[in-house]
Amino acid sequence: MRANRKLWAAATVCVAVVAGVTGCSTGDDKAADPFAGLTADAIADKAVDTTKAATAFRMNGAGKTDGEEMTVDFAVDDKGNCKGTMQAPKGGKAEMLATGGNSYMKGDDAFWKSSGGEEGASSDESDSMSALLKGRWMKMPAGAGEDEDNFCDLKKIVKDMDEETPRKGLTREADADVDGKPAAVLTKKDKGESTTFYVAKDSAKPYILRVVTTGGDDPGTVTLSEFDKPVTVTAPPKGDVVDMEELMKGAS
Protein backbone atom coordinates (compact mmCIF):
# COMPACT_ATOMS: atom_id res chain seq x y z
CA MET A 1 0.00 0.00 0.00
CA ARG A 2 2.78 2.43 0.89
CA ALA A 3 4.44 1.90 -2.51
CA ASN A 4 1.09 2.38 -4.28
CA ARG A 5 0.54 5.72 -2.50
CA LYS A 6 3.97 6.88 -3.64
CA LEU A 7 3.20 5.93 -7.24
CA TRP A 8 -0.16 7.74 -7.10
CA ALA A 9 1.47 10.90 -5.74
CA ALA A 10 4.04 10.82 -8.52
CA ALA A 11 1.32 10.34 -11.13
CA THR A 12 -0.69 13.34 -9.93
CA VAL A 13 2.40 15.52 -10.14
CA CYS A 14 2.90 14.37 -13.74
CA VAL A 15 -0.65 15.37 -14.65
CA ALA A 16 -0.23 18.80 -13.05
CA VAL A 17 2.89 19.67 -15.03
CA VAL A 18 2.23 17.82 -18.26
CA ALA A 19 2.17 21.04 -20.35
CA GLY A 20 5.69 21.62 -21.56
CA VAL A 21 7.13 18.68 -19.63
CA THR A 22 8.62 15.57 -21.16
CA GLY A 23 9.73 12.33 -19.60
CA CYS A 24 7.65 12.46 -16.39
CA SER A 25 8.65 9.59 -14.14
CA THR A 26 8.10 8.20 -10.66
CA GLY A 27 11.38 9.64 -9.42
CA ASP A 28 12.23 13.09 -8.05
CA ASP A 29 13.03 14.60 -11.44
CA LYS A 30 12.27 18.31 -11.82
CA ALA A 31 10.02 19.61 -14.57
CA ALA A 32 11.84 19.85 -17.86
CA ASP A 33 13.19 23.27 -18.80
CA PRO A 34 11.07 24.64 -21.70
CA PHE A 35 14.10 26.70 -22.78
CA ALA A 36 16.59 23.86 -22.80
CA GLY A 37 19.09 24.34 -25.62
CA LEU A 38 18.17 27.98 -26.20
CA THR A 39 20.53 30.89 -25.65
CA ALA A 40 19.48 33.78 -23.41
CA ASP A 41 19.06 35.93 -26.52
CA ALA A 42 16.76 33.34 -28.12
CA ILE A 43 14.67 33.15 -24.94
CA ALA A 44 14.33 36.95 -24.99
CA ASP A 45 13.15 36.80 -28.62
CA LYS A 46 10.45 34.26 -27.74
CA ALA A 47 9.37 36.27 -24.70
CA VAL A 48 9.03 39.54 -26.60
CA ASP A 49 7.14 37.92 -29.48
CA THR A 50 4.76 36.15 -27.09
CA THR A 51 4.10 39.27 -25.02
CA LYS A 52 3.51 41.35 -28.17
CA ALA A 53 0.78 38.90 -29.17
CA ALA A 54 -1.15 39.26 -25.90
CA THR A 55 -4.64 40.71 -26.29
CA ALA A 56 -4.50 42.34 -22.86
CA PHE A 57 -2.40 42.61 -19.72
CA ARG A 58 -1.98 44.48 -16.48
CA MET A 59 1.10 46.63 -15.93
CA ASN A 60 2.28 47.64 -12.48
CA GLY A 61 5.42 49.71 -12.23
CA ALA A 62 7.47 52.16 -10.23
CA GLY A 63 10.49 54.13 -11.33
CA LYS A 64 11.99 57.50 -12.04
CA THR A 65 11.08 59.95 -14.80
CA ASP A 66 13.45 62.89 -15.15
CA GLY A 67 14.80 62.03 -11.73
CA GLU A 68 11.39 62.01 -10.02
CA GLU A 69 9.45 58.99 -8.75
CA MET A 70 6.39 57.81 -10.65
CA THR A 71 4.12 54.79 -10.23
CA VAL A 72 1.48 53.26 -12.51
CA ASP A 73 -0.95 50.37 -12.18
CA PHE A 74 -3.31 49.80 -15.11
CA ALA A 75 -4.90 47.18 -17.32
CA VAL A 76 -5.18 47.61 -21.08
CA ASP A 77 -6.54 45.53 -23.96
CA ASP A 78 -6.40 45.56 -27.75
CA LYS A 79 -9.93 47.00 -28.06
CA GLY A 80 -8.95 50.39 -26.68
CA ASN A 81 -10.12 49.72 -23.14
CA CYS A 82 -7.92 50.81 -20.28
CA LYS A 83 -8.23 51.62 -16.59
CA GLY A 84 -5.80 52.27 -13.79
CA THR A 85 -4.05 54.73 -11.56
CA MET A 86 -0.87 56.76 -11.61
CA GLN A 87 1.10 58.89 -9.19
CA ALA A 88 2.64 61.91 -10.87
CA PRO A 89 6.34 62.72 -10.54
CA LYS A 90 5.53 66.11 -8.99
CA GLY A 91 2.92 64.78 -6.58
CA GLY A 92 -0.69 63.70 -6.51
CA LYS A 93 -2.60 60.70 -7.77
CA ALA A 94 -4.95 60.21 -10.69
CA GLU A 95 -7.26 57.60 -12.16
CA MET A 96 -7.37 57.01 -15.90
CA LEU A 97 -9.99 55.38 -18.09
CA ALA A 98 -10.32 54.79 -21.82
CA THR A 99 -13.26 53.28 -23.65
CA GLY A 100 -15.19 53.90 -26.85
CA GLY A 101 -12.35 55.98 -28.29
CA ASN A 102 -12.43 58.45 -25.38
CA SER A 103 -9.95 58.95 -22.55
CA TYR A 104 -10.68 60.32 -19.09
CA MET A 105 -8.58 61.38 -16.14
CA LYS A 106 -9.59 62.14 -12.55
CA GLY A 107 -6.95 63.52 -10.21
CA ASP A 108 -6.79 64.74 -6.65
CA ASP A 109 -6.01 68.37 -5.78
CA ALA A 110 -2.28 67.72 -5.53
CA PHE A 111 -2.23 66.13 -8.97
CA TRP A 112 -4.01 68.99 -10.73
CA LYS A 113 -2.01 71.65 -8.92
CA SER A 114 1.26 69.99 -9.89
CA SER A 115 0.34 69.19 -13.49
CA GLY A 116 -2.65 71.41 -14.36
CA GLY A 117 -2.46 73.96 -17.15
CA GLU A 118 0.20 74.24 -19.80
CA GLU A 119 3.90 74.26 -19.09
CA GLY A 120 4.84 77.49 -17.34
CA ALA A 121 1.33 78.10 -16.01
CA SER A 122 1.09 80.29 -12.92
CA SER A 123 0.00 78.97 -9.53
CA ASP A 124 -3.33 80.81 -9.97
CA GLU A 125 -3.94 79.00 -13.27
CA SER A 126 -3.09 75.66 -11.69
CA ASP A 127 -5.41 76.42 -8.75
CA SER A 128 -8.20 77.28 -11.21
CA MET A 129 -7.67 73.99 -13.02
CA SER A 130 -7.80 72.13 -9.70
CA ALA A 131 -11.03 73.89 -8.68
CA LEU A 132 -12.69 73.21 -12.05
CA LEU A 133 -11.87 69.51 -11.96
CA LYS A 134 -12.32 68.83 -8.25
CA GLY A 135 -14.06 65.46 -7.95
CA ARG A 136 -14.69 65.34 -11.70
CA TRP A 137 -13.31 63.52 -14.72
CA MET A 138 -11.45 65.39 -17.44
CA LYS A 139 -12.32 64.11 -20.91
CA MET A 140 -9.14 64.57 -22.87
CA PRO A 141 -9.23 65.93 -26.43
CA ALA A 142 -8.33 63.46 -29.17
CA GLY A 143 -4.57 63.45 -29.69
CA ALA A 144 -4.06 65.56 -26.57
CA GLY A 145 -0.61 64.16 -25.97
CA GLU A 146 1.66 61.28 -26.86
CA ASP A 147 2.02 60.13 -23.25
CA GLU A 148 -1.73 59.90 -22.72
CA ASP A 149 -2.21 58.04 -25.99
CA ASN A 150 0.52 55.55 -25.16
CA PHE A 151 -0.91 54.93 -21.72
CA CYS A 152 -4.05 53.28 -23.08
CA ASP A 153 -2.85 52.02 -26.47
CA LEU A 154 -1.76 48.39 -26.29
CA LYS A 155 -0.19 48.47 -29.76
CA LYS A 156 2.02 51.42 -28.86
CA ILE A 157 2.98 49.90 -25.52
CA VAL A 158 4.16 46.63 -27.07
CA LYS A 159 5.83 48.51 -29.94
CA ASP A 160 7.88 50.49 -27.42
CA MET A 161 8.63 47.29 -25.53
CA ASP A 162 9.79 45.63 -28.75
CA GLU A 163 12.09 48.53 -29.61
CA GLU A 164 13.46 49.06 -26.09
CA THR A 165 14.07 45.45 -25.04
CA PRO A 166 17.69 44.39 -25.57
CA ARG A 167 17.98 41.00 -27.24
CA LYS A 168 21.70 40.70 -27.74
CA GLY A 169 24.40 39.92 -25.22
CA LEU A 170 22.05 38.58 -22.54
CA THR A 171 23.11 36.11 -19.89
CA ARG A 172 20.85 33.54 -18.24
CA GLU A 173 21.08 33.52 -14.45
CA ALA A 174 19.60 31.15 -11.87
CA ASP A 175 15.83 30.72 -12.22
CA ALA A 176 13.48 32.55 -9.84
CA ASP A 177 9.78 32.98 -9.06
CA VAL A 178 7.57 35.97 -9.90
CA ASP A 179 4.44 35.99 -7.79
CA GLY A 180 4.63 32.21 -7.49
CA LYS A 181 5.34 31.57 -11.19
CA PRO A 182 8.65 29.93 -12.21
CA ALA A 183 10.71 32.25 -14.39
CA ALA A 184 13.92 32.20 -16.38
CA VAL A 185 16.12 35.16 -15.45
CA LEU A 186 18.01 37.05 -18.17
CA THR A 187 20.38 39.93 -17.52
CA LYS A 188 22.05 42.62 -19.57
CA LYS A 189 24.69 45.02 -18.27
CA ASP A 190 25.79 48.05 -20.22
CA LYS A 191 27.63 51.21 -19.13
CA GLY A 192 26.57 51.15 -15.51
CA GLU A 193 23.00 50.09 -16.22
CA SER A 194 21.70 46.60 -15.49
CA THR A 195 18.44 45.18 -16.86
CA THR A 196 16.94 41.91 -15.64
CA PHE A 197 14.09 40.13 -17.42
CA TYR A 198 11.94 37.45 -15.82
CA VAL A 199 10.35 35.16 -18.43
CA ALA A 200 7.59 32.67 -17.61
CA LYS A 201 8.89 29.10 -17.86
CA ASP A 202 5.95 28.09 -20.01
CA SER A 203 6.60 26.45 -23.36
CA ALA A 204 3.28 27.70 -24.76
CA LYS A 205 3.16 31.22 -23.30
CA PRO A 206 6.62 32.45 -22.25
CA TYR A 207 5.44 35.95 -21.32
CA ILE A 208 7.67 38.63 -19.86
CA LEU A 209 6.63 38.71 -16.19
CA ARG A 210 8.90 41.42 -14.84
CA VAL A 211 11.64 43.83 -15.91
CA VAL A 212 13.98 45.43 -13.38
CA THR A 213 16.39 48.20 -14.34
CA THR A 214 19.05 49.50 -11.97
CA GLY A 215 21.55 52.29 -12.50
CA GLY A 216 21.32 54.56 -15.52
CA ASP A 217 18.89 57.47 -15.93
CA ASP A 218 15.57 55.61 -15.59
CA PRO A 219 15.77 52.86 -12.94
CA GLY A 220 12.55 51.05 -12.10
CA THR A 221 10.53 47.85 -11.97
CA VAL A 222 7.60 46.82 -14.18
CA THR A 223 5.51 43.71 -13.55
CA LEU A 224 3.11 42.25 -16.15
CA SER A 225 0.19 39.98 -15.30
CA GLU A 226 -3.42 39.08 -16.21
CA PHE A 227 -2.48 38.31 -19.81
CA ASP A 228 -5.37 38.03 -22.29
CA LYS A 229 -7.91 38.97 -19.59
CA PRO A 230 -10.56 41.32 -21.06
CA VAL A 231 -10.69 44.81 -19.55
CA THR A 232 -14.20 46.03 -18.71
CA VAL A 233 -14.54 49.81 -18.54
CA THR A 234 -17.61 51.99 -18.04
CA ALA A 235 -17.39 55.63 -19.06
CA PRO A 236 -18.09 58.07 -16.21
CA PRO A 237 -21.53 59.78 -16.07
CA LYS A 238 -21.71 62.89 -18.25
CA GLY A 239 -22.56 65.00 -15.24
CA ASP A 240 -19.20 64.10 -13.72
CA VAL A 241 -17.18 64.95 -16.84
CA VAL A 242 -15.48 68.16 -17.96
CA ASP A 243 -14.99 68.01 -21.73
CA MET A 244 -11.73 69.89 -22.32
CA GLU A 245 -12.28 70.09 -26.07
CA GLU A 246 -15.65 71.76 -25.61
CA LEU A 247 -14.18 73.99 -22.93
CA MET A 248 -11.39 75.14 -25.24
CA LYS A 249 -13.85 75.82 -28.06
CA GLY A 250 -15.91 77.98 -25.74
CA ALA A 251 -12.84 79.88 -24.59
CA SER A 252 -11.82 80.62 -28.17
Side-chain angles (χ1 to χ4, degrees):
M1 290 295 294
R2 190 176 185 86
N4 288 340
R5 286 200 299 271
K6 286 185 176 181
L7 287 170
W8 175 249
T12 57
V13 170
C14 285
V15 172
V17 299
V18 68
V21 178
T22 58
C24 196
S25 70
T26 59
D28 293 326
D29 296 340
K30 294 182 179 179
D33 182 359
F35 305 130
L38 294 180
T39 65
D41 292 356
I43 297 172
D45 281 336
K46 288 176 66 71
V48 171
D49 289 344
T50 302
T51 307
K52 282 171 57 182
T55 59
F57 54 68
R58 179 180 177 183
M59 179 181 289
N60 183 294
K64 287 188 175 182
T65 299
D66 297 327
E68 297 185 16
E69 295 289 341
M70 179 177 181
T71 61
V72 296
D73 183 2
F74 68 98
V76 58
D77 68 18
D78 61 357
K79 295 179 175 58
N81 297 308
C82 167
K83 63 180 178 181
T85 61
M86 65 176 290
Q87 183 159 347
K90 296 181 181 180
K93 296 182 179 179
E95 298 175 68
M96 294 188 72
L97 299 177
T99 186
N102 297 311
S103 299
Y104 307 86
M105 182 182 289
K106 182 180 180 181
D108 59 19
D109 285 344
F111 178 85
W112 292 125
K113 287 180 179 179
S114 66
S115 59
E118 297 188 12
E119 187 174 351
S122 68
S123 59
D124 286 344
E125 290 171 323
S126 294
D127 288 345
S128 296
M129 174 71 79
S130 177
L132 174 67
L133 294 168
K134 187 176 180 64
R136 305 171 77 185
W137 291 89
M138 179 181 75
K139 181 180 178 181
M140 292 179 281
E146 184 178 352
D147 290 340
E148 288 82 357
D149 290 343
N150 283 341
F151 189 90
C152 289
D153 190 323
L154 183 64
K155 289 182 179 179
K156 289 184 178 179
I157 292 172
V158 296
K159 181 177 182 292
D160 289 344
M161 176 195 68
D162 188 10
E163 294 175 351
E164 297 296 326
T165 301
R167 313 216 205 154
K168 301 295 181 184
L170 292 162
T171 301
R172 184 172 179 179
E173 309 290 350
D175 293 347
D177 280 357
V178 175
D179 297 331
K181 297 179 181 179
V185 181
L186 316 175
T187 62
K188 169 79 173 182
K189 296 180 180 180
D190 184 33
K191 298 179 181 179
E193 181 175 282
S194 178
T195 303
T196 303
F197 299 91
Y198 296 80
V199 179
K201 291 185 67 178
D202 184 327
S203 60
K205 295 291 181 71
Y207 290 119
I208 296 175
L209 300 179
R210 180 170 291 161
V211 182
V212 179
T213 304
T214 58
D217 297 328
D218 300 306
T221 298
V222 174
T223 300
L224 302 180
S225 61
E226 299 180 13
F227 294 97
D228 301 320
K229 181 178 179 180
V231 180
T232 302
V233 181
T234 301
K238 288 186 177 180
D240 294 340
V241 173
V242 176
D243 190 325
M244 295 306 293
E245 190 167 6
E246 292 298 322
L247 198 64
M248 288 186 291
K249 285 179 181 178
S252 61

